[in-house]
C-alpha cells in the first residue's frame, strides 16, 4: 500500500538550516508530484510548494521561495525539503504529501505523519 | 492568492444529527476546460495528518463513509456529514488546488453536543 514516511523531530537554532526527508513506497515514485505543507501550532495548513518527482520540476509559494529547496532521490524514492535561515516562526510540523497524480494541481491523497521542526536558541 | 474562508469556525452537533460546513473562495475554482471545481475537503484529528475526504468538490475518496458529501461550484462549497458519529470529531479544512499558491481554509472544528 502507499506509504509516505517522515523522520522524527528536529531542533535547530535560529539561522540554521533543516533538511527533512520523506520516503515513499508502494507506488512508482517518479509518476507523482510531492507537496510540502506546514502547520504551525493552532494554525491552518500552509502550502510551501511541490516537486515533480519524475522530472524534478518545482514550484514554490512566494513566501518561501528564497529559503526553501526541494530535491528528490529517485533511486531511494525519497524527497527532501531544506529550509534555510530558520527563525522561531518556522516552528511547525512539516508534512510531505503525495498529489493524486503527476500534476501539482490535484488533491493530496497521501500524507506523511509529519516532522516537528522546533527553532529555538 | 485565492483566500479560502470557512464557516462556522466551530460547531457542536448531537450524535446522529447533520453537520454542515461552508467554504467560500475569493475567486472561482471552476476550471472551464474540464468543468471541474478544484476543491478538496480534508479531515484532521489531533496528532494526525490530514486525510482526504472529498475532491473535485463532490467526489468521495475511496473508503470514506457515504455520510460525508460535498457540494457547490464556483466560489461556494459545502461539506455535509449527514449523521454525525463520535469518530467524526475533528477539524475539517477545505483547499483549492486551482492555482498557485494552493491555499487552505482556516478550519472548522466539529464537536459532539
Amino acid at each position: 500500500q502507499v506509504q509516505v514516511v517522515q523522520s522524527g523531530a528536529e531542533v535547530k537554532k535560529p539561522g540554521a538550516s533543516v533538511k527533512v526527508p520523506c520516503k515513499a513506497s508502494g507506488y512508482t515514485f517518479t509518476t507523482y508530484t510531492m507537496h510540502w505543507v506546514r502547520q504551525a501550532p493552532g494554525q491552518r495548513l500552509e502550502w510551501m510548494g511541490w516537486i515533480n518527482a519524475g522530472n524534478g520540476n518545482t514550484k514554490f509559494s512566494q513566501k518561501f521561495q528564497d529559503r526553501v529547496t526541494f530535491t528528490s532521490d529517485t533511486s531511494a524514492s525519497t524527497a527532501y525539503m531544506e529550509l534555510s535561515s530558520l527563525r522561531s516562526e518556522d516552528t511547525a510540523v512539516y508534512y510531505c504529501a503525495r498529489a493524486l497524480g503527476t500534476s501539482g494541481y490535484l488533491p493530496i491523497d497521501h500524507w506523511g505523519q509529519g516532522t516537528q521542526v522546533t527553532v529555538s536558541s | 492568492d485565492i483566500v479560502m474562508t470557512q464557516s462556522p469556525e466551530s460547531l457542536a452537533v448531537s450524535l446522529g444529527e447533520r453537520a454542515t460546513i461552508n467554504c467560500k473562495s475569493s475567486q472561482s475554482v471552476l476550471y472551464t476546460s474540464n468543468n471541474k471545481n478544484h476543491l478538496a475537503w480534508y479531515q484532521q484529528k489531533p496528532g494526525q495528518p490530514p486525510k482526504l475526504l472529498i475532491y473535485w468538490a463532490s467526489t468521495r475518496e475511496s473508503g470514506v463513509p457515504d455520510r460525508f458529501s460535498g457540494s457547490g461550484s464556483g466560489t461556494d462549497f459545502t461539506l455535509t456529514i449527514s449523521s454525525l458519529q463520535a469518530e467524526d470529531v475533528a477539524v475539517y479544512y477545505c483547499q483549492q488546488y486551482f492555482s498557485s499558491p494552493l491555499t487552505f481554509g482556516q478550519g472548522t472544528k466539529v464537536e459532539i453536543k
Side-chain angles (χ1 to χ4, degrees), chain A residues 6 35 37-39 42-48 50 59-62 95-96 100 104-114, chain B residues 1 3-5 38 40 42 44 47-52 54-56 61 93 95 97-107:
Chain A
Q6 297 184 240
H35 290 274
V37 177
R38 78 177 188 181
Q39 188 171 35
Q43 301 299 308
R44 74 176 71 189
L45 298 157
E46 184 174 32
W47 180 76
M48 301 177 69
W50 75 53
K59 194 163 190 69
F60 303 102
S61 167
Q62 202 164 13
Y95 294 103
C96 62
L100 200 53
Y105 296 109
L106 289 170
I108 296 171
D109 67 343
H110 285 88
W111 295 70
Q113 75 273 30
Chain B
D1 297 5
V3 177
M4 308 299 290
T5 304
H38 287 224
Y42 300 88
Q44 187 177 32
Q48 295 185 19
K51 173 188 173 184
L52 178 64
I54 302 283
Y55 57 98
W56 303 129
E61 170 71 331
Y93 294 94
Q95 179 222 10
Y97 47 95
F98 178 85
S99 68
S100 175
L102 279 60
T103 48
F104 293 84
Q106 79 275 28

Side-chain angles (χ1 to χ4, degrees), chain A residues 6-7 10 18-22 36 79-82 94 115 117:
Chain A
Q6 297 184 240
S7 58
E10 302 261 10
V18 67
K19 189 170 184 177
V20 178
C22 167
W36 290 90
Y80 300 89
M81 185 280 298
E82 184 168 19
Y94 288 77
T115 296
V117 175

